[in-house]
Amino acid sequence: MPSLPQLVALVPALYLLLVAIPLTVIDLREHRLPNRIVLPVFPIALLAQGIAVALGANWLHLLLSFFIGVAVFVIGLIANYWDVLGMGDVKLASGIALVTAFFSVLLPFISIGLAFVFAFLVVIIQLGFGKAKLGQSIPLGPYLLLSFFLSVGYQFASSASS
């Protein structure tokens, strides 16, 4: 069973769960992730993690999650500059990194990496069936959200069993 600080730190995951369907629909339809939906994850995560620290969580978790979130944002900015990622994807990936790094330093990299694997596999299948073309952009948001929930779920399922 997760501790009270861990449960409080999960609040931003609940926010992402609430907005996952609208974000997915918008990204699939319009290839964008609106700021008004994505950006609230940052203050929600920092506030929840701050409260978790006040309740006894290690303050280094907050510090590491902040720096990993910033690092993912900087890497995302570089990818955006090279036109590899859209800014909505950069912000969502940074928010996911901020949320997941509080629980494990490796979790953001697993979560975001898994999203790229899922997207790659789907694109390969679409290319094989002639439903996609090389150089075509794809909505990454749904894959980021799916991998986020899978990785957080796995993290808590494995910690509950030990």
Side-chain angles (χ1 to χ4, degrees), residues 75-101:
I75 292 167
L77 281 178
I78 294 167
N80 178 263
Y81 177 78
W82 288 332
D83 212 20
V84 175
L85 284 178
M87 277 309 295
D89 298 325
V90 171
K91 290 176 254 186
L92 182 57
S94 301
I96 286 170
L98 176 66
V99 173
T100 56

Side-chain angles (χ1 to χ4, degrees), residues 2-153:
S3 67
L4 181 59
Q6 286 178 322
L7 289 173
V8 170
L10 269 178
V11 168
L14 293 175
Y15 172 76
L16 286 174
L17 182 62
L18 288 173
V19 299
I21 291 175
L23 277 177
T24 298
V25 169
I26 293 167
D27 202 15
L28 289 172
R29 193 178 316 153
E30 303 175 23
H31 286 240
R32 66 183 198 88
L33 295 164
N35 284 340
R36 68 182 177 2
I37 301 174
V38 174
L39 292 182
V41 76
F42 294 98
I44 292 168
L46 292 171
L47 180 62
Q49 291 172 0
I51 292 170
V53 167
L55 292 172
N58 189 335
W59 65 272
L60 285 175
H61 292 220
L62 175 60
L63 189 64
L64 281 171
S65 67
F66 177 79
F67 283 116
I68 290 171
V70 169
V72 168
F73 186 76
V74 169
I75 292 167
L77 281 178
I78 294 167
N80 178 263
Y81 177 78
W82 288 332
D83 212 20
V84 175
L85 284 178
M87 277 309 295
D89 298 325
V90 171
K91 290 176 254 186
L92 182 57
S94 301
I96 286 170
L98 176 66
V99 173
T100 56
F102 190 82
F103 302 103
S104 166
V105 174
L106 294 177
L107 203 55
F109 304 105
I110 292 168
S111 182
I112 294 168
L114 195 57
F116 282 100
V117 169
F118 288 155
F120 174 77
L121 292 173
V122 169
V123 167
I124 291 298
I125 292 168
Q126 288 178 335
L127 284 170
F129 285 106
K131 301 284 186 189
K133 297 176 187 169
L134 288 176
Q136 172 181 333
S137 69
I138 63 161
L140 189 60
Y143 304 105
L144 286 166
L145 290 163
L146 173 64
S147 63
F148 168 73
F149 293 119
L150 289 174
S151 61
V152 169

